[in-house]
Amino acid sequence: MILVLTHINTIFLSLSIFQPASSQADHIATLTNYFIVAAAFILLVVTGLLIYVILRFKAKPGDAEPRQVRRNKKVEAVMIGVPFLMVAGFFIYTINVMQEVHPPAGNQVPDVIVTGHQWWWEASYPGTGAVTANEIHLPVHKKVLLQFSSSDVIHDWWVPELGPKMDMMPGRKTHLWLTINEPGVYEGACSEFCGEQHAWMRIRVVAQRQDEYERWLQQKSQPAQEPQHPLALKGEAIFNLATCGNCHTIRGTAAQGQSGPDLTHFASRTEMLAGMMPTTEDNLRDWLTDPQQVKPGAHMPRFIFEQDSINALVAYISGLK
Amino acid sequence: MGKLHIPEPEEALPGVELEDNQGLLQWISSVDHKQIGIMYLWMALFFMLLGGLGALLMRVQLAVPRNDLLSPEIYNQVFTMHGTTMIFLVATPAILGFSVYLSPLMIGANDMAFPRLNAFSFWIALCGGFLLYFSFLAGGAPDAGWFNYAPLNQRPYSPSPGIDYYCIGLLLAGSGTVATAVNLIVTVLKLRVPSMSLRELPVFVWMVLINSFLILAAFPSLNAALAMLLLDRQLQAHFFDIAGGGSSLLWQHLFWLFGHPEVYILILPAFGILSEVFQVFSRKPIFGYAFIVGSGMAIALLAFGVWIHHMFATGLGITVNGFFSASSLLIGIPTGVKIFSWLGTMWGGSLRFTTAMLFATAFLVEFTIGGLSGVSFAIVPIDWQLTDTYYVVAHLHYVFVGGSLFGLLAGLFYWFPKMSGKIIPEKQGKWFFWLFVIGFNMTFLIQHALGVLGMPRRVYTYPDLPNYTWMNMLSTAGAFIMGFSVLYLGFIIYKSIKSGKKAPDDPWNAYTLEWLTTSPPQLQNFKEVPPVKSFRPLRDLKQDNPNWQLQDDPWKID
């Protein structure tokens, strides 16, 4: 029994709502624990009574018709009274936690603006010029404000260890407060069905100490590094020639497109295609060869590049640190 | 005591002119409520096999991480059709089938108030179902989920005609449902034996009556939303198109204003079925008749004040969320009342665990689990963590399967002898029960954990994160046990109809009027009905006639 419980315990300590890493998630986890105790109590009462009733009142051949009890006012009062008290208690607690976790944003400038796209996340940091995708860096021990919207359909931000989810809707702005406790990498995913590649719209939050975070932000505000290697230089030329810049931005170059992820520091992200695979030259090569093969439905067209061009593009893009 | 003669509404029964055994033609032309009720049940079983096939495809795809058996395009159509089928083409027709079959019998009437409308409702619902499935041949099934959120349901994001078929198919099926609700209300209010006051209505009929009002109030919202969506897609209207000044939230409001009452529409008649089953197999009247009826009404009224709890994560603000949190929490109270009323019915009884009673008993546990996980969504912050995850998938299956379907299966085993005139051997019924219960819990219990561990719903695949793989594999294995058990159910139904033992008129020593007539009832249900003195008229009749002979001892049914 204890073995089973410890095992269950270890399961829920891995990436889960019971492993809160922000004060918001912490509030929710505590509330959830109270709820589980109450729910377990009710389930225990119902199953306990049921088992007793089954054992005690199972018919035996030759039973006379039992007493035809129609009601019992005391039992009825308890039936309504006890659940009502429990419900009232949880309601008050709920309102408290809601105010703690999700106060209005007011006019405060958000720390990050996250925009959902089919099927990736755009994150821009107001006042800094830094724009990134899918891997979102945040400072610890600071109450940060995230602002959400969507460029197409409804998406939903969810990083279980960091707490509440929030829908991202076209034409509306929503927000979320986060006070992260510990530096670390937190996995999440889009949690509102958003079309063909909903499964591969994963988020990664990288929580850093304030100084590291500021260094990261400072670096990501810079324009892209000029390529040095001749192959990479050729890649840059192809990038501009092949209209890649109509959709993608590489700051410091002519590429200023807005509908695909910002590639200025692409190679500094550990995963590509919203958590689908690690950022490696091989994966990048496969992707450029035939996007529909790698992530069917993705909005990147197939360009039918020559092998040489792909090698040059890979050299260029994987140098964008 | 004077017995009341029940006239046969002959002119309303064109099927009467045909001889008894004219096969399919007689069924198609029938306006007899019993035949229509049975056709509803066949329709539900047929679409359950299709929807179940979809479920198994999904579970095979999800058995291992990064599986590429199904493309995302196909997977999204399959899960959309699974949900849409199970809600609109399985659960709804099954509920209506029992309602239409049993309500006239239980109130001592010979048919529905509007027999032709009854037939029309059934056939239009069936056509709606076929039209929905025709989309597979017409260029692609709907692929935006059964609740079909805007703007994903708009042309630019779902260009195949699937969602157009979704609109038309569900409009047809929905119109049929509304017409049936009107029909049931008039039947129950106008065609009761005159001596049966509303206080003597069997609990099942009460639930049907309440449910029919619920349908009348809820479906118009869906039908309006569907019409608006069809206009959006076909005539470039902008109800839900943001670029054109529409609102994506409007769809959610309209849909859930229907959708949440729909959940209760699918469970209230099951509550009614269970109440009858608990009474008969506990040999006691329902504990707190007024309470169980009153809580049904409370649920129906509260049902219209809770829809925002499907939208807590849309950022509507603390005031709105708080209000709907309170209303959603409140709905737990009448539901709890019902659970304890049934326990009270069993308490002190003489319990007979037939297959029907086994399903009713298991329901108490499964539905309590589903109800409690439901309460966690009323607690807004918990909802913020767990909405749209596998925890929801687990919850809704504990409510729809552990709740509605367990109730319907209890009803199926309880009334099968009446409907078919044949007996399902108890041994086979119990085999099915255990297979189904084990398969069901194996499939869905673990999905609570998957949700807590961060797996969103409606993903066609997932990365190999800790514990994901074995949990999903376990769930898939359970789904196959469930699938097998449903095939077995089909087999035992077929075999019993084909070569089962003949059923007596009143095999369970039951309490309500449908057991007074023959099994299966002849076209004219009753020639005469005794005066009704309580909600258990048949028991009263037996009590008043000490010489009443049971045709069969319920202990010996096997």
Side-chain angles (χ1 to χ4, degrees):
Chain A
M1 188 67 188
I2 290 168
L3 207 74
V4 174
L5 284 180
T6 13
H7 187 61
I8 290 176
N9 210 25
T10 42
I11 288 174
F12 287 110
L13 284 183
S14 61
L15 174 115
S16 122
I17 68 164
F18 295 115
Q19 179 77 319
S22 74
S23 69
Q24 288 76 12
D26 214 26
H27 282 296
I28 300 181
T30 314
L31 172 61
T32 310
N33 282 329
Y34 279 112
F35 171 75
I36 287 174
V37 171
F41 169 74
I42 294 170
L43 186 61
L44 214 66
V45 168
V46 171
T47 40
L49 277 175
L50 189 63
I51 290 169
Y52 176 77
V53 164
I54 290 170
L55 296 177
R56 172 83 174 69
F57 299 111
K58 191 164 191 259
K60 292 165 271 305
D63 269 4
E65 186 174 65
R67 212 159 63 85
Q68 303 291 295
V69 182
R70 280 159 197 279
R71 61 183 301 185
N72 178 327
K73 286 190 178 161
K74 272 188 205 152
V75 174
E76 285 172 353
V78 173
M79 235 155 61
I80 292 200
V82 173
F84 187 81
L85 288 179
M86 290 178 97
V87 156
F90 272 106
F91 177 65
I92 293 166
Y93 193 2
T94 295
I95 297 292
N96 271 335
V97 175
M98 276 166 72
Q99 278 166 341
E100 206 62 59
V101 169
H102 193 71
N107 289 328
Q108 190 172 326
V109 179
D111 297 86
V112 195
I113 296 175
V114 185
T115 309
H117 297 262
Q118 278 185 326
W119 292 281
W120 58 281
W121 314 82
E122 175 188 340
S124 66
Y125 295 76
T128 68
V131 180
T132 185
N134 304 330
E135 290 180 14
I136 295 162
H137 289 241
L138 293 174
V140 294
H141 302 310
K142 180 178 179 251
K143 191 170 180 182
V144 290
L145 177 63
L146 287 79
Q147 188 190 81
F148 295 139
S149 70
S150 165
S151 73
D152 37 50
V153 301
I154 300 175
H155 301 280
D156 184 278
W157 164 281
W158 188 38
V159 183
E161 289 151 291
L162 299 184
K165 48 171 75 66
M166 183 49 67
D167 280 357
M168 324 176 82
M169 277 175 288
R172 275 173 69 91
K173 288 190 179 95
T174 50
H175 71 276
L176 193 73
W177 296 97
L178 280 183
T179 318
I180 304 175
N181 298 331
E182 289 294 324
V185 178
Y186 303 103
E187 293 270 349
C190 175
S191 203
E192 183 66 76
F193 179 64
C194 59
E196 203 166 335
Q197 284 294 346
H198 168 56
W200 290 116
M201 184 164 168
R202 301 191 64 85
I203 325 166
R204 182 169 271 200
V205 171
V206 182
Q208 293 171 306
R209 290 206 321 272
Q210 187 71 32
D211 53 335
E212 282 178 35
Y213 170 71
E214 261 154 29
R215 208 174 313 132
W216 177 84
L217 202 56
Q218 208 277 327
Q219 199 228 327
K220 295 303 172 240
S221 310
Q222 304 300 317
Q225 284 174 342
E226 266 305 303
Q228 302 298 326
H229 195 275
L231 192 60
L233 275 166
K234 188 181 158 205
E236 185 183 22
I238 295 169
F239 191 93
N240 290 326
L241 202 66
T243 67
C244 304
N246 285 1
C247 292
H248 294 284
T249 293
I250 296 180
R251 277 170 276 140
T253 74
Q256 295 295 330
Q258 293 297 321
S259 52
D262 184 301
L263 300 178
T264 311
H265 302 285
F266 171 82
S268 67
R269 308 201 274 263
T270 51
E271 292 194 321
M272 53 187 273
L273 307 181
M276 200 174 188
M277 49 190 61
T279 310
T280 64
E281 295 195 4
D282 284 345
N283 285 338
L284 193 54
R285 192 170 288 119
D286 288 346
W287 172 247
L288 291 172
T289 309
D290 188 355
Q292 294 309 312
Q293 196 68 37
V294 176
K295 193 171 183 176
H299 294 308
M300 168 123 157
R302 187 182 173 192
F303 282 88
I304 322 183
F305 291 118
E306 304 272 327
Q307 197 56 45
D308 290 349
S309 314
I310 289 180
N311 288 338
L313 279 169
V314 169
Y316 173 53
I317 296 169
S318 56
L320 297 171
K321 298 255 167 149
Chain B
M1 99 196 79
K3 290 191 173 179
L4 188 83
H5 179 74
I6 308 288
E8 180 182 1
E10 250 177 284
E11 65 282 11
L13 296 172
V16 174
E17 289 154 29
L18 298 163
E19 287 300 312
D20 244 7
N21 275 324
Q22 297 222 348
L24 202 57
L25 183 61
Q26 198 215 343
W27 284 90
I28 291 175
S29 63
S30 176
V31 295
D32 170 38
H33 75 101
K34 298 181 289 295
Q35 285 185 307
I36 292 168
I38 288 172
M39 287 193 288
Y40 266 121
L41 294 181
W42 281 119
M43 171 182 172
L45 189 64
F46 170 73
F47 281 110
M48 185 156 111
L49 292 177
L50 287 182
L53 194 68
L56 288 182
L57 277 175
M58 280 148 62
R59 282 318 319 171
V60 171
Q61 165 73 12
L62 294 176
V64 289
R66 293 184 187 261
N67 196 355
D68 55 6
L69 179 79
L70 298 184
S71 69
E73 198 187 347
I74 298 292
Y75 184 88
N76 294 343
Q77 294 178 26
V78 170
F79 88 68
T80 301
M81 285 301 277
H82 168 76
T84 313
T85 302
M86 290 306 194
I87 300 281
F88 293 101
L89 305 178
V90 179
T92 311
I95 291 287
L96 294 179
F98 278 108
S99 305
V100 161
Y101 187 98
L102 291 164
S103 302
L105 278 165
M106 288 175 116
I107 58 171
N110 275 339
D111 206 329
M112 297 281 285
F114 311 112
R116 283 167 197 273
L117 181 65
N118 195 22
F120 172 76
S121 306
F122 167 74
W123 289 105
I124 202 171
L126 186 66
C127 288
F130 286 147
L131 205 58
L132 187 61
Y133 269 84
F134 182 72
S135 61
F136 276 111
L137 304 176
D143 56 1
W146 84 273
F147 47 76
N148 200 29
Y149 272 2
L152 193 62
N153 60 16
Q154 299 284 306
R155 265 282 168 77
Y157 303 110
S158 183
S160 87
I163 290 176
D164 302 302
Y165 280 94
Y166 168 97
C167 293
I168 301 167
L170 295 191
L171 269 173
L172 288 182
S175 311
T177 308
V178 170
T180 304
V182 174
N183 211 341
L184 284 165
I185 291 173
V186 178
T187 305
V188 174
L189 292 183
K190 300 300 288 183
L191 296 189
R192 299 193 311 280
V193 201
S195 58
M196 183 186 268
S197 75
L198 283 178
R199 291 180 151 271
E200 279 131 17
L201 220 49
V203 181
F204 175 75
V205 183
W206 255 120
M207 291 302 141
V208 168
L209 182 63
I210 296 169
N211 207 41
S212 302
F213 281 107
L214 202 48
I215 289 173
L216 279 192
F219 268 75
S221 180
L222 172 72
N223 291 344
L226 291 170
M228 289 155 86
L229 177 57
L230 201 58
L231 289 175
D232 266 12
R233 290 177 59 89
Q234 293 296 332
L235 300 173
Q236 281 75 48
H238 301 112
F239 292 107
F240 309 117
D241 171 29
I242 290 89
S247 158
S248 60
L249 268 185
L250 177 62
W251 171 269
Q252 296 190 26
H253 284 295
L254 289 173
F255 190 88
W256 290 119
L257 188 55
F258 149 78
H260 202 81
E262 169 74 355
V263 176
Y264 299 114
I265 289 169
L266 298 182
I267 197 94
L268 279 179
F271 287 168
I273 291 172
L274 291 157
S275 301
E276 301 302 332
V277 169
F278 279 122
Q279 294 185 79
V280 168
F281 294 113
S282 304
R283 313 307 305 155
K284 276 183 65 205
I286 193 87
F287 182 79
Y289 176 86
F291 256 59
I292 212 137
V293 172
S295 60
M297 290 180 189
I299 289 175
L301 290 175
L302 282 170
F304 290 99
V306 297
W307 80 93
I308 299 282
H309 74 221
H310 295 270
M311 300 162 65
F312 281 155
T314 55
L316 289 175
I318 289 181
T319 319
V320 173
N321 286 352
F323 176 86
F324 283 90
S325 166
S327 60
S328 307
L329 281 167
L330 280 179
I331 217 160
I333 297 174
T335 316
V337 163
K338 283 192 183 298
I339 298 276
F340 285 101
S341 284
W342 291 318
L343 277 170
T345 307
M346 294 172 86
W347 189 278
S350 171
L351 310 178
R352 279 132 216 240
F353 288 100
T354 57
T355 308
M357 184 62 165
L358 281 178
F359 271 109
T361 309
F363 160 93
L364 286 178
V365 178
E366 312 288 10
F367 185 69
T368 302
I369 296 175
L372 288 170
S373 60
V375 173
S376 62
F377 294 113
I379 300 173
V380 182
I382 304 184
D383 178 279
W384 282 339
Q385 273 285 18
L386 290 173
T387 188
D388 276 313
T389 68
Y390 259 82
Y391 184 89
V392 177
V393 178
H395 157 70
L396 71 91
H397 283 93
Y398 269 85
V399 175
F400 283 135
V401 180
S404 302
L405 189 57
F406 272 50
L408 289 167
L409 286 170
L412 182 68
F413 281 92
Y414 179 58
W415 280 300
F416 187 84
K418 178 55 62 183
M419 291 177 168
S420 67
K422 298 291 174 60
I423 296 277
I424 296 179
E426 276 297 309
K427 204 170 174 182
Q428 293 176 10
K430 281 171 185 165
W431 265 102
F432 165 68
F433 168 77
W434 285 111
L435 276 174
F436 192 76
V437 166
I438 291 169
F440 165 65
N441 286 288
M442 199 165 144
T443 310
F444 294 109
L445 197 60
I446 197 71
Q447 292 185 359
H448 292 102
L450 276 170
V452 165
L453 294 182
M455 182 158 159
R457 69 194 287 202
R458 303 178 157 183
V459 289
Y460 76 94
T461 193
Y462 51 89
D464 189 9
L465 292 164
N467 294 309
Y468 273 35
T469 307
W470 72 265
M471 286 180 173
N472 274 297
M473 184 58 100
L474 182 70
S475 181
T476 300
F480 273 89
I481 298 179
M482 257 178 111
F484 173 75
S485 73
V486 171
L487 283 184
Y488 181 64
L489 174 68
F491 168 75
I492 57 179
I493 289 177
Y494 173 78
K495 206 162 151 256
S496 303
I497 290 176
K498 196 95 177 153
S499 56
K501 224 179 83 183
K502 205 178 149 359
D505 293 346
D506 179 19
W508 315 117
N509 190 8
Y511 293 156
T512 38
L513 286 176
E514 75 274 24
W515 303 100
L516 182 63
T517 182
T518 52
S519 291
Q522 65 278 32
L523 185 62
Q524 184 182 5
N525 295 338
F526 303 100
K527 291 205 167 59
E528 48 186 20
V529 174
V532 174
K533 293 187 293 186
S534 77
F535 57 87
R536 295 187 296 169
L538 190 54
R539 177 175 176 278
D540 298 338
L541 188 66
K542 293 171 190 170
Q543 296 277 316
D544 294 344
N545 296 279
N547 299 327
W548 188 278
Q549 289 289 313
L550 280 180
Q551 294 138 319
D552 209 335
D553 183 350
W555 281 103
K556 286 196 189 138
I557 295 286
D558 216 319

